[in-house]
Amino acid sequence: QVQLVESGGGSVQAGGSLRLSCRASTYTLCMGWFRQAPGKEREAVGTYNSDDSTTIADSVKGRFTISRDDAINTMYLQMNKLRVEDTAMYYCAAARRLSLCRNRSFPDWGQGTQVTVSA
């Protein structure tokens, strides 16, 4: 099992920026960012795929970017032009098997970091 630790959350005004980090205890083949707001279902924000490509949800495209530093097993979520509706608990997830990555199925999850955007 991979341990994942998120950091970088906090409170920011609309239009501001935050960078989230997700450090894994070991190398992972693919990783993803997800978020869940109170009373809403969890949604995918984006993924860092096994071929080093990234995917970003339409709701954050042009504002959020995903990157990864393999040397320290850490994935980042750069969030710019934050909106009130981006307020949520953000989670990272990971997989080590190609079959899981292809299905965007992540067995390992972090505890989450809270992002609060005020008007």
Side-chain angles (χ1 to χ4, degrees):
Q1 187 175 3
V2 180
Q3 278 72 51
L4 301 167
V5 179
E6 303 97 333
S7 61
S11 298
V12 64
Q13 287 191 321
S17 298
L18 284 173
R19 189 177 80 155
L20 306 185
S21 300
C22 172
R23 182 149 191 170
S25 58
T26 188
Y27 176 77
T28 58
L29 200 55
C30 62
M31 301 178 80
W33 284 105
F34 296 80
R35 67 184 182 184
Q36 188 166 21
K40 294 188 176 181
E41 293 188 355
R42 185 177 67 195
E43 65 171 335
V45 176
T47 58
Y48 192 98
N49 304 315
S50 58
D51 62 357
D52 292 330
S53 65
T54 60
T55 57
I56 291 287
D58 288 343
S59 58
V60 302
K61 194 168 292 184
R63 301 187 296 121
F64 291 10
T65 57
I66 292 175
S67 61
R68 193 164 87 163
D69 185 342
D70 287 343
I72 55 173
N73 298 326
T74 299
M75 176 180 64
Y76 303 98
L77 180 66
Q78 179 65 45
M79 306 186 294
N80 299 327
K81 300 179 182 178
L82 282 161
R83 303 170 179 169
V84 172
E85 54 264 38
D86 295 320
T87 295
M89 184 72 79
Y90 284 71
Y91 300 89
C92 74
R96 301 179 67 188
R97 290 163 53 185
L98 186 58
S99 57
L100 295 177
C101 291
R102 286 174 173 167
N103 292 324
R104 294 206 172 39
S105 177
F106 300 99
D108 300 305
W109 290 79
Q111 294 299 307
T113 185
Q114 177 68 38
V115 171
T116 302
V117 185
S118 58

